[in-house]
Structures are given as structure tokens and as C-alpha cells.
Amino acid sequence: IMSPFIGNWQREKTTKLPEIMKRLGAGEDMIKHLENADVKLSISMEEDGKIRMCQTINTAKFEHTFAFGKEFDDFTLTGRMFKVVIRKESDCLWPYEAKGKDYKVSGLMKVGSSGINAEYGDAEGTDYKGSGLMKVECDVLKTTFKVDDIETVSIFNRIK
């Protein structure tokens, strides 16, 4: 299921990034930085079955390795840190829970041939509702992130 996502990716473009970042509470400096950043993403499967994700934004590197059922650290688009646990009910259903200092959200990742669709309800401690989708078509990774009525789409090309 994860094999189409495995590889190295270079962001080509992102639509409506300023609008969604403002809705999430980001400042102008952060928005400008992310809008013009060179963004790379690397996804790999470790020998022990853990999934490793590394995102490079200009020279800053953010990475985490996770195993199903084990808590790991992650961060939001606006830089807030939180703890995540992803469980695996089946190959296609991955319930998850994320807890930050002042909020909590839970949802369900539905994994299929068309991609990974993350659905989550209202986050406790926030005033928005969102969803996300990651899918691969040929050598293009498309991520869609929606908050309320704002949708941003990022296009990544596979680095060969």
C-alpha cells in the first residue's frame, strides 16, 4: 500500500498556501518563508517495517519514523508540536489521534489504491474542521489539505 509513496519528492507548487496558513494562525513571515521555500519530501520503509518521513524546507530538516501503535512527535503547518499515534486496524483503515499542548484531534486514514485519505473531526482547542488526501499518479505526488472552505493543493515531482 505504501510503495507508490516511497521515494524522494520535490515540490513544484502549492495553491492557496497564504489563505490556509492565515486561517491556521500563521504570521506573514512564516507564510512568505513557506511560499518561496524549496521543499523536498522523502518517504521510506525501514527494514523493521517502520515508515520514515523526512521533509526539508530550504536547509531545515524535519523527520520522524513511526511504527503503528507507537507514539511519535510531529508538527502542524504552523509549527505547533504534537504527539501522534497511528493504529492499523487493517491494511486499509488506520485510526489516529494527535494531541498538542492545547488541542486534540482524532480521525481515520483510509488507505487504498487511490491514495491515503485522512478524515478528521473538529479539533478540540481550535475553531476549524479539516481533511487531507495524499495520492500518487505516475511520478506525481499530490497532497490536498482542506480547512473549513479553504483547500490547498501541493504538487511534488518524483526525484529520479
Side-chain angles (χ1 to χ4, degrees):
I1 297 288
M2 285 300 295
S3 59
F5 298 93
I6 303 297
N8 299 306
W9 305 91
Q10 171 77 49
R11 183 178 74 173
E12 177 186 321
K13 67 180 177 180
T14 299
T15 63
K16 296 190 181 175
L17 184 63
E19 295 94 321
I20 209 159
M21 294 295 291
K22 283 179 192 170
R23 179 67 182 97
L24 294 172
E28 289 295 323
D29 289 344
M30 180 183 282
I31 293 169
K32 285 180 186 174
H33 176 73
L34 288 176
E35 225 179 352
N36 300 314
D38 177 32
V39 179
K40 292 184 174 93
L41 178 63
S42 176
I43 303 171
S44 60
M45 182 76 73
E46 304 295 314
E47 287 181 22
D48 60 4
K50 292 180 180 176
I51 298 169
R52 180 179 169 273
M53 296 183 75
C54 178
Q55 186 171 19
T56 306
I57 302 172
N58 292 330
T59 58
K61 196 178 261 193
F62 308 94
E63 59 185 301
H64 59 263
T65 302
F66 76 91
F68 291 107
K70 305 284 184 187
E71 186 176 79
F72 65 94
D73 294 323
D74 204 352
F75 60 95
T76 66
L77 285 172
T78 57
R80 294 189 338 186
M81 298 301 297
F82 59 97
K83 304 275 186 190
V84 180
V85 176
I86 300 174
R87 292 174 176 51
K88 188 174 182 181
E89 285 184 0
S90 70
D91 282 345
C92 299
L93 293 176
W94 303 352
Y96 68 92
E97 183 173 87
K99 294 180 185 176
K101 187 173 87 176
D102 54 357
Y103 74 101
K104 176 178 141 182
V105 66
S106 59
L108 182 65
M109 294 168 141
K110 295 178 181 175
V111 183
S113 59
S114 63
I116 299 174
N117 187 5
E119 300 172 353
Y120 47 96
D122 295 331
E124 294 175 28
T126 69
D127 63 348
Y128 56 81
K129 184 175 179 138
S131 63
L133 173 67
M134 280 179 74
K135 67 183 199 175
V136 174
E137 294 175 356
C138 298
D139 286 332
V140 176
L141 169 65
K142 179 181 175 182
T143 65
T144 304
F145 183 63
K146 186 172 182 178
V147 172
D148 298 331
D149 62 343
I150 306 167
E151 184 174 270
T152 182
V153 176
S154 292
I155 303 295
F156 292 82
N157 294 312
R158 189 181 298 275
I159 300 171
K160 296 182 181 190

